[in-house]
Amino acid sequence: MSTSAGWDHPRTSFYTDHYELTMLQASLHSGAAHRRSVFEAFARRLPEGRRYGIVGGTGRLLEGIANFRFGEAELEFLGRAGVVNADTLDYLASYRFSGDIWGYPEGEAYFPYSPVLIVESTFAEACMLETYLLSVLNHDSAIASAASRMITAAGNRPCIEMGSRRTHEESAVAAARAAVIAGFDSTSNLEAGIRYGIKTVGTAAHSFTLLHDTERDAFEAQLASLGAGTSLLVDTYDVEAAVRSAVELAGPRLGAVRLDSGDLVAQAQWVRQLLDQLGNETTKIVVTSDLDEFAIAALQSAPVDSYGVGTSLVTGSGAPTASMVYKLVSRADDSGGFVPVAKAAKNKTSTGGRKYALRKLNERGIATQEIVGIGHHPEDDGNDRPLLQQFMKNGELLPGWTGHEGVVRARQRHSDSMAELPAVVNRLQRGEAAIPTLYEEN
């Protein structure tokens, strides 16, 4: 397994719900626990106004499944609290996932009912992954989906993830990873840097300016320490005075100025004019301040060079969960053959059977449909692209899906997927998913 040096992945077996272990106990009692089973993670719908989602979190999830164990402390707690009986504790003591996992690669676009992740194993092994699996996929896919919309709005201008202070400390690391997968250039989060090999950036906050007797003193200290290529925050007091002071001190080699308040469109325009008048044509303008995809789109006409995005990104820009579910869709019967199973409750239906997914592409490489075969592979016309990749085989991680390598591959997958879907992503359109997910029966 590929993970960054200096980080020990925590045991993940207790990132779960009580009822998963009581289901295990009852299935062990009935004798059905070891039936071969197929579970599927999918979203019944997209958040309102969204036309696509982006898969995020698979690499983190796979690392977690590889560490899904029950040690002495966990087993002692389960016995002391009476969560499960002695026979179940014996089973858990030697638990390790030994099945196969398939899914859409991270960075891939998905739509309602796309089979985002498929888990093939015994019921006992697969049922216990439900809560952990959904917590990772729902969070990271929500962040990646929001980040993708922001990247689309930003065009060729880079975006910086800087939302750590607006979410839980571990969620911040996951959010930084998901944002980079969806095209963000860098993050302010150092833990994401060491854990996943992501580029980290940052310079100074308003408190650094306020610490010094004058703004000029603060700029002088920052430039002396970090060099002329640094970014100076110019809106603590008077923006025009700050820009003039920054240019006077750093000269034409000044890297950037950052704007964090006010009318960003109008302010960026006159700051650009002022910088050019002062001879700093190459000094960039970075804007921050509660940006989302709509604010970024509104700044398209402004002379902005990059965006720093925080709160809206790490909260999914209004959709903090991808609303994925994890359902048993097929299981072995007493003869060993597989039979499809599905929930039929109103508004919560699922489609039974093991799925195989294909994205149909026209002669120009543009996606027109997503076809999901039930129990069979949809026919490939020659230009089409199978969507499901295998991530684990017999409980062993296959190379390339985790660690820094997984992030790099996922970022490229996002770029390729977006190129296939120009009608979906070229504007912040509202409406139903633009690519239908169609089912083919055997």
Side-chain angles (χ1 to χ4, degrees):
M1 179 174 61
S2 174
T3 56
S4 295
W7 181 61
D8 293 326
H9 200 292
R11 183 175 287 131
T12 50
S13 58
F14 265 34
Y15 293 168
T16 191
D17 285 326
H18 184 118
Y19 87 146
E20 287 163 14
L21 297 188
T22 53
M23 274 197 296
L24 169 65
Q25 177 175 310
S27 65
L28 288 169
H29 178 78
S30 73
H34 303 296
R35 278 184 171 175
R36 301 299 298 179
S37 300
V38 179
F39 281 79
E40 178 187 326
F42 63 93
R44 294 190 177 96
R45 62 190 65 84
L46 297 174
E48 184 177 358
R50 301 285 177 90
R51 294 168 64 82
Y52 68 98
I54 296 295
V55 178
T58 311
R60 291 204 310 116
L61 173 65
L62 295 172
E63 292 174 0
I65 291 174
N67 286 278
F68 202 95
R69 301 283 193 277
F70 294 85
E72 291 184 7
E74 289 84 8
L75 295 170
E76 190 278 331
F77 168 81
L78 293 173
R80 174 169 44 83
V83 176
V84 292
N85 61 21
D87 289 341
T88 307
L89 290 175
D90 288 342
Y91 173 85
L92 294 175
S94 59
Y95 175 89
R96 77 178 282 275
F97 181 76
S98 64
D100 298 342
I101 297 181
W102 298 72
Y104 285 33
E106 280 192 275
E108 183 65 79
Y110 71 88
F111 302 94
Y113 293 98
S114 294
V116 170
L117 200 78
I118 295 173
V119 178
E120 300 173 322
S121 189
T122 65
F123 178 85
E125 288 184 5
C127 79
M128 287 192 293
L129 301 180
E130 178 183 6
T131 299
Y132 177 60
L133 180 151
L134 289 177
S135 68
V136 173
L137 289 183
N138 273 318
H139 174 269
D140 288 27
S141 296
I143 305 306
S145 299
S148 179
R149 287 162 59 85
M150 294 169 185
I151 288 296
T152 297
N156 295 324
R157 299 170 178 175
C159 292
I160 306 164
E161 186 283 314
M162 47 192 301
S164 296
R165 67 195 62 190
R166 304 301 186 203
T167 188
H168 180 277
E169 62 271 17
E170 275 298 321
S171 297
V173 183
R177 182 184 181 279
V180 169
I181 282 172
F184 270 57
D185 178 71
S186 54
T187 178
S188 64
N189 189 285
L190 289 176
E191 181 63 25
I194 189 173
R195 194 179 297 184
Y196 299 113
I198 296 171
K199 181 173 74 173
T200 63
V201 298
T203 50
H206 290 102
S207 61
F208 180 78
T209 301
L210 296 169
L211 169 68
H212 293 80
D213 293 336
T214 68
E215 186 172 59
R216 186 182 183 89
D217 290 343
F219 287 175
E220 286 180 333
Q222 185 175 332
L223 290 165
S225 177
L226 301 180
T230 190
S231 175
L232 295 177
L233 181 57
V234 295
D235 70 340
T236 305
Y237 304 116
D238 179 86
V239 174
E240 180 177 353
V243 171
R244 290 184 181 277
S245 180
V247 171
E248 180 184 346
L249 292 169
R253 294 185 299 114
L254 177 63
V257 296
R258 178 160 73 95
L259 303 172
D260 188 53
S261 58
D263 184 338
L264 295 176
V265 174
Q267 196 164 226
Q269 288 172 341
W270 70 255
V271 167
R272 179 73 271 159
Q273 292 174 355
L274 179 58
L275 286 169
D276 292 348
Q277 290 169 7
L278 296 172
N280 279 48
E281 291 88 353
T282 61
T283 297
K284 299 183 182 300
I285 297 176
V286 182
V287 297
T288 53
S289 185
D290 291 330
L291 300 179
D292 61 12
E293 61 266 47
F294 301 105
I296 292 172
L299 284 159
Q300 286 179 344
S301 62
V304 171
D305 295 286
S306 61
Y307 306 97
V309 190
T311 304
S312 289
L313 175 66
V314 299
T315 57
S317 196
T321 175
S323 298
M324 291 187 191
V325 294
Y326 181 69
K327 299 300 178 185
L328 179 66
V329 295
S330 182
R331 62 162 177 83
D333 59 19
D334 291 338
S335 67
F338 275 85
V339 295
V341 295
K343 184 176 178 178
K346 184 178 180 181
N347 298 326
K348 289 191 175 183
T349 59
S350 58
T351 302
R354 209 284 193 187
K355 313 299 192 308
Y356 301 88
L358 180 81
R359 186 159 297 157
K360 299 197 72 65
L361 307 176
N362 64 20
E363 64 281 359
R364 294 180 294 118
I366 304 304
T368 58
Q369 288 181 332
E370 188 164 301
I371 307 296
V372 177
I374 303 175
H376 73 100
H377 293 271
E379 183 178 352
D380 186 341
D381 294 337
N383 294 323
D384 304 332
R385 184 167 64 83
L387 292 166
L388 291 167
Q389 301 290 323
Q390 188 166 16
F391 305 135
M392 294 188 81
K393 184 175 182 179
N394 298 326
E396 298 296 329
L397 281 172
L398 299 181
W401 302 110
T402 59
H404 177 61
E405 183 182 358
V407 172
V408 173
R409 290 183 65 177
R411 184 181 176 90
Q412 183 60 53
R413 178 67 259 149
H414 175 262
S415 178
D416 294 344
S417 185
M418 295 299 94
E420 291 177 357
L421 299 163
V424 181
V425 302
N426 63 353
R427 296 185 301 277
L428 296 176
Q429 297 168 312
R430 295 188 179 277
E432 297 300 320
I435 302 295
T437 302
L438 305 177
Y439 283 97
E440 289 184 346
E441 301 284 351
N442 269 326

